[in-house]
């Protein structure tokens, strides 16, 4: 596995490719270095049900991007990968800025629940489409992707 480092960003992939450069371009576009938080990006083979995931672990943001759909065995196309990476980097900025914090699994009443703090408000077992950080990422990932892809052409 090769690692391409740019400031506090480390992109880990089996082969040097376009995707490392794309991650660096998004990192710069979002000015993530200014948050002084390490970000590790891993390109993984299969999705296990998720195209991408981002979490804040031990004071670092970790992003995983799946290259292959587990259910079909087919690799994601250029557009899907570009948009997924942009979406996950938006989450990276949310974590790095302190707006989003994943408390992890907590005990609540008689069950175990997943808890997040978004702008100081706690969300417990909130359905995906009702999470405000997901709404923000979904509403801005296409624009981020388009802006970065355009600047990479220059």
């Amino acid at each position: 596995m090769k690692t391409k480092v740019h400031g506090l960003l480390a992109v880990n992939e089996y082969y040097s490719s376009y995707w490392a450069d794309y991650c660096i371009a998004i990192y710069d576009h979002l000015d993530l270095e200014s948050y002084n938080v390490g970000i590790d990006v891993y390109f993984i083979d299969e999705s296990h049900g998720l195209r991408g995931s981002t979490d804040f672990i031990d004071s670092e943001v970790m992003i995983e991007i799946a290259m292959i759909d587990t259910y079909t065995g087919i690799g994601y196309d250029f557009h899907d990968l570009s948009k997924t990476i942009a979406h996950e980097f938006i989450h990276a900025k949310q974590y790095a800025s302190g707006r989003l914090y994943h408390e992890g699994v907590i005990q609540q009443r008689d069950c175990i629940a997943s808890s997040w703090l978004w702008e100081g408000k706690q969300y417990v077992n909130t359905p995906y489409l009702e999470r405000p950080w997901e709404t923000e990422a979904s509403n801005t990932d296409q624009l981020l992707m388009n802006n970065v892809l355009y600047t990479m052409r220059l």
Side-chain angles (χ1 to χ4, degrees):
M1 181 172 290
K2 295 182 181 185
T3 302
K4 190 168 189 175
V5 177
H6 178 77
L8 296 173
L9 171 69
V11 180
N12 305 281
E13 56 184 340
Y14 290 103
Y15 307 101
S16 293
S17 75
Y18 172 84
W19 298 116
D21 293 335
Y22 180 63
C23 288
I24 289 168
I26 290 178
Y27 177 84
D28 288 344
H29 185 83
L30 293 175
D31 191 27
L32 286 168
E33 189 164 7
S34 69
Y35 294 98
N36 202 31
V37 171
I39 299 174
D40 291 317
V41 180
Y42 294 91
F43 287 87
I44 60 174
D45 290 335
E46 294 191 22
S47 66
H48 307 291
L50 297 172
R51 289 184 183 189
S53 67
T54 303
D55 209 349
F56 193 62
I57 302 169
D58 297 327
S59 300
E60 293 208 358
V61 176
M62 187 178 88
I63 298 173
E64 285 188 346
I65 304 296
M67 301 299 285
I68 299 169
D69 185 321
T70 303
Y71 303 113
T72 65
I74 298 171
Y76 291 112
D77 66 27
F78 181 85
H79 180 270
D80 288 340
L81 280 170
S82 300
K83 191 170 180 183
T84 298
I85 293 166
H87 184 98
E88 298 308 326
F89 265 89
I90 292 166
H91 290 316
K93 185 171 183 176
Q94 292 166 340
Y95 280 117
S97 68
R99 294 175 63 215
L100 177 61
Y101 180 75
H102 188 198
E103 292 184 303
V105 176
I106 62 169
Q107 183 72 36
Q108 188 180 47
R109 296 183 195 91
D110 296 333
C111 66
I112 295 175
S114 188
S115 176
W116 292 268
L117 290 177
W118 171 251
E119 297 182 337
K121 181 179 176 186
Q122 185 179 41
Y123 291 81
V124 178
N125 279 358
T126 306
Y128 181 85
L129 294 176
E130 295 175 22
R131 299 172 186 171
W133 57 95
E134 291 296 348
T135 301
E136 180 179 273
S138 294
N139 287 341
T140 57
D141 56 11
Q142 182 78 42
L143 180 61
L144 175 61
M145 178 187 81
N146 290 345
N147 286 338
V148 170
L149 289 175
Y150 179 78
T151 59
M152 288 179 73
R153 294 182 351 196
L154 302 177

